[in-house]
Amino acid sequence: MSVSSSTPWVVHKFGGSSVADAACFRRVADILDSQPVGRLGVVLSACKGVTDALLSLVSQAERQDAGYAAGLEAVRERHATIARELLSETVAAAYLANFDRDSHDLLGILHAVRLTRSASRNVTDLVSGYGEIWSTRLFREFYAARGSRDGAVRWLDAREAVIIEWGPLGPMVQWEESRRRIAAAVPAETQGTLIITGYIACDTRGVQTTLGRNGSDFSASIFGSLLDASVIHIWTDVDGVLSADPRRVPDAQVIDSLSYNEAMELAYFGAKVIHPQTMAPAVGREIPIWIRNTFAPTHPATLICARPQSSLAVKGITTIENIALVNLEGAGMIGVPGTAHRLFGALREEGISVVLISQGSSEHSICCAVPLEQADRAVNVVRAAFARELTDGQIQAVEVDRELAILAVVGDGMAGIPGVAAKVFNALGSAAVNVRAIAQGASERNISVVVPAKAATRALRAVHSSFYLSDHTISVGIIGPGTVGKVLLEQIASQAERLRRDFKLDLRVRGVLSSRRMLLSEKGAGADWAGALAVSEAKPDLDAFVRHVGVDYLPHRVIIDCTASGEVARHYASWLAAGIHVVTPNKKANSAPMGDFRALQQARRQGGTHYLYEATVGAGLPIIQTLRDLRETGDEVTSIEGIFSGTLAYLFNVYDGTRSFSDIVREAKQRGYTEPDPRDDLSGTDVARKLIILGREMGLELEMGDVKLESLVPPGLEQGSIEEFMTALPKHDAAMQSRFESARARGKVLRYVGRLSAAGTATVGVVELDARHPFANIALTDNVVRFATSRYNNNPMIVQGPGAGPEVTAGGIFADLLRLSAYLGARL
């Protein structure tokens, strides 16, 4: 397919990491082959690290270190390795012959530097510019041999076309002369592909120079303008421009599009964006610039253009580190013209860069942010400039605060939208970040705040999450990934995508803690949490786990305790007070001594947090919630009774006198219906704890000692091993057999029941019930709870169903987690 001379050029620039080795050269060629038919201008940097290596040779020569010769040979060998892999033997030999001629010239220059112990800028520019010459010559030979695009593949030496003059603001392109030269070097009818040296140019005297750091980006922009390109593609090693530094903000996202002004603002504040100066030629002609990833060409990219189409109000959040704040304060400044002029004039005379300015409307003080290394000089300069006012007391102080950072929030979409600044400051306040100074331009494109350096990452993450994450992102930590915890993790994983899609609810499991190891994840453990936990080398550390899960830059935090540990439960109060919600099926905290229980509730109120524990009674059955609903709607609960143990329900449902009680206990243990030690069930303590929890929900101040408890563990068998207990248990079958026969003679059945009255009477033990009683006719392991209230008096309310088992217990915990999400604003 032919290409007319009217077909616009498209410029592609590949950085050093994109041409690091032979595999990278092939990748670049593949990218170019995938481009639509048309004219391509391909600007290349030196191979990764070569420019630094060449500059190092100059430094060695200045130190009279003869090692520069070996260093140059190492650079040659690197290029030779690539050439031998990519080029035919004849072409590679010719390429290396050219390289050796360059090396000979360089050795002569470096020898002269060694003799004089000094290298002028012209010498440094000359030496450092060879990297682009070598990389582009090599790529030109390689790409021409592929023959994969129509038209010739030409090498263009930028020194023939780009003329610059260095000034106070850096290299300035001499556009008229450069356009004349490009017209001669690349006539309008030129077709095919140009392989162009980045970074280098010539000055007005014809002497080789460079475009400075980021020079190859500048080259791309210059040639985009000179060739009247329709678009410029900057290929690097990241997916476009990110909303924040991914090393500090794991949730950083690729920004879909930026305006030129937004890109300049972000670059000024340290974001990894094309440098503002290098963008200028493209900006002048409104040439769109794409930032793409060489190593992932199909990944999302960022478009920088004059009129971006983006739904994002905020395009990026970034920081400048190592900042100091110089503050000038005094009543004598109020209403006096020229104070700011004197302040900044004095700093300018000393060459001190002012990064940010903030002044109160009262004019009582003015402060400015300067680089930390210039802080002492800045203070001395300002004190000297205002010496008289300081002496006369018109100015009270010139002070400096060190160890600060600037956080910048950038986006054209912030203009005219109420609440953006509030969102920034709410996020900082929630993360406990103190703001030292504030600045916002009239364009409303940038909100900048000065914060303590040690809090910079926390501030960055907090503000970023407020704009880029769902308001319903919850950092979840799960303790005890055992029988119940494992199923809970599986349930969360199975519903995670649906919850994100339908309700924008991001349940991010960032931590899993077992008794042997710990898994900490930034973006969420995902469905493969078990595999990740199995290979994790992190030892269990509860404090580190809580710090990780309880990060203050995510909107919400919750710890789910799936253990039965009293030690873990003792930490609930401190977590709640620190702003971490707690969900648990662990009964230990709510049945602890009343003083500890009150402290837990106080901590919850202090931290403004939620504490949910529906699964402590009845697993997934709505028992606690039902009790709350009754009381909160004004009903008076007079009594609660029920079968609260699935294990004991099974034992008495199966026990019919034909088999011994001990035999049924052994069978239940073998089927997994009991705890590993059946005494934990037979003691009735678990049922007593559930009664205490319900009693306290009723407003009763119950303690364990208030519960009249009948244990089914025979006296004398409380201690000893499990096997010893199981061996001795049959000796006590006669007592249970006698009770059973006596009850049957009266038409009764035996059930293990917990009872609680509004007066505070609490009993747990074996009772005789009529054969038609609701508790007498339940499924083998069901729990059943009966509420007698003022409303439900003649016909009490009954809640019945499976009250044990990993699936239903995990389901109850998951329901509490979703209930918490609703409390936090998720619309489920």
Side-chain angles (χ1 to χ4, degrees), residues 646-664:
T647 300
L648 294 171
Y650 173 83
L651 295 178
F652 284 97
N653 272 321
V654 171
Y655 185 48
D656 60 2
T658 61
R659 297 164 57 198
S660 68
F661 191 73
S662 62
D663 185 43
I664 294 172

Side-chain angles (χ1 to χ4, degrees), residues 483-484 487 491 618-620 646-647 672-673 781 783 802-813:
T483 304
V484 172
V487 176
Q491 289 179 357
T647 300
Y673 291 163
T781 59
N783 278 194
E807 287 79 13
V808 293
T809 304
I813 300 167

Side-chain angles (χ1 to χ4, degrees), residues 523-810:
K523 294 191 174 182
D528 189 35
W529 66 269
L533 180 63
V535 299
S536 173
E537 296 181 359
K539 300 299 181 185
D541 182 336
L542 185 59
D543 290 340
F545 177 84
V546 173
R547 282 195 301 272
H548 181 79
V549 173
V551 290
D552 47 18
Y553 59 85
L554 290 177
H556 311 290
R557 288 80 64 191
V558 60
I559 290 177
I560 302 176
D561 174 22
C562 293
T563 74
S565 166
E567 178 60 33
V568 174
R570 279 190 281 275
H571 290 275
Y572 292 179
S574 63
W575 298 343
L576 291 165
I580 301 173
H581 309 288
V582 174
V583 173
T584 186
N586 187 342
K587 293 175 278 292
K588 298 293 174 62
N590 278 20
S591 59
M594 197 66 198
D596 294 342
F597 179 73
R598 289 197 190 97
L600 188 66
Q601 301 304 319
Q602 177 59 32
R604 178 185 59 77
R605 288 188 289 269
Q606 175 187 333
T609 44
H610 297 279
Y611 174 44
L612 292 93
Y613 43 87
E614 179 68 71
T616 57
V617 181
L621 297 177
I623 294 173
I624 291 176
Q625 189 60 47
T626 298
L627 176 55
R628 285 181 180 169
D629 289 345
L630 290 170
R631 297 189 74 237
E632 289 173 4
T633 57
D635 201 355
E636 181 182 352
V637 179
T638 55
S639 69
I640 301 173
E641 63 177 356
I643 294 175
F644 295 97
S645 168
T647 300
L648 294 171
Y650 173 83
L651 295 178
F652 284 97
N653 272 321
V654 171
Y655 185 48
D656 60 2
T658 61
R659 297 164 57 198
S660 68
F661 191 73
S662 62
D663 185 43
I664 294 172
V665 171
R666 184 174 293 277
E667 179 187 69
K669 181 178 184 299
Q670 291 171 345
R671 291 190 174 190
Y673 291 163
T674 73
E675 294 293 333
D677 186 342
R679 285 173 291 192
D680 292 341
D681 298 298
L682 296 173
S683 70
T685 303
D686 186 67
V687 176
R689 290 187 184 279
K690 294 175 181 178
L691 274 193
I692 290 172
I693 292 170
L694 294 176
R696 289 176 178 177
E697 287 293 319
M698 292 171 63
L700 303 174
E701 295 192 355
L702 279 181
E703 299 278 11
M704 280 294 288
D706 298 328
V707 180
K708 184 179 179 181
L709 173 63
E710 177 187 1
S711 172
L712 298 185
V713 178
L717 299 188
E718 295 90 346
Q719 305 300 319
S721 69
I722 298 173
E723 192 52 46
E724 289 171 342
F725 167 74
M726 296 302 296
T727 300
L729 188 60
K731 297 176 184 178
H732 301 270
D733 282 335
M736 185 61 71
Q737 183 74 26
S738 174
R739 292 183 71 172
F740 174 81
E741 294 294 348
S742 177
R744 184 164 60 178
R746 291 189 292 275
K748 306 288 185 179
V749 297
L750 298 180
R751 294 292 183 266
Y752 196 84
V753 176
R755 287 173 170 165
L756 178 66
S757 74
T761 302
T763 62
V764 173
V766 179
V767 298
E768 294 182 4
L769 299 174
D770 187 86
R772 292 180 297 176
H773 192 283
F775 294 1
N777 299 282
I778 60 174
L780 290 181
T781 59
D782 270 4
N783 278 194
V784 56
V785 181
R786 187 168 73 165
F787 297 93
T789 74
S790 296
R791 295 175 189 158
Y792 298 92
N793 188 6
N794 296 325
N795 186 17
M797 177 190 291
I798 293 177
V799 177
Q800 179 179 340
E807 287 79 13
V808 293
T809 304

Side-chain angles (χ1 to χ4, degrees), residues 98-253:
N98 277 329
F99 195 109
D100 290 338
R101 284 190 289 273
D102 293 340
S103 295
H104 181 269
D105 293 342
L106 278 174
L107 287 172
I109 294 168
L110 293 170
H111 179 67
V113 172
R114 182 185 180 196
L115 292 176
T116 60
R117 301 187 183 184
S118 177
S120 67
R121 177 172 179 168
N122 287 341
V123 169
T124 302
D125 285 353
L126 178 63
V127 174
S128 66
Y130 271 96
E132 278 70 17
I133 294 171
W134 295 331
S135 66
T136 50
R137 280 179 180 165
L138 201 162
F139 186 78
R140 186 270 158 196
E141 297 297 341
F142 166 62
Y143 197 57
R146 280 172 66 116
S148 48
R149 288 189 70 87
D150 292 338
V153 179
R154 289 182 48 200
W155 181 65
L156 177 60
D157 187 341
R159 294 171 295 184
E160 298 176 5
V162 180
I163 308 301
I164 69 163
E165 185 173 332
W166 276 84
L169 299 180
M172 296 180 293
V173 180
Q174 305 303 296
W175 288 106
E176 185 176 348
E177 178 61 17
S178 296
R179 292 192 186 283
R180 186 185 67 77
R181 293 197 178 204
I182 197 71
V186 186
E189 65 274 10
T190 300
Q191 304 297 317
T193 303
L194 295 177
I195 309 301
I196 306 168
T197 55
Y199 183 57
I200 59 176
C202 266
D203 65 17
T204 53
R205 300 167 298 159
V207 177
Q208 177 178 325
T209 186
T210 70
L211 300 173
R213 284 297 183 183
N214 302 301
S216 292
D217 286 347
F218 198 8
S219 296
S221 189
I222 292 169
F223 278 100
S225 178
L226 292 177
L227 295 170
D228 290 324
S230 61
V231 65
I232 297 169
H233 299 268
I234 305 293
W235 294 88
T236 180
D237 55 0
V238 295
D239 292 342
V241 180
L242 297 175
S243 54
D245 183 346
R247 294 167 300 181
R248 301 171 68 186
V249 181
D251 293 298
Q253 302 174 20

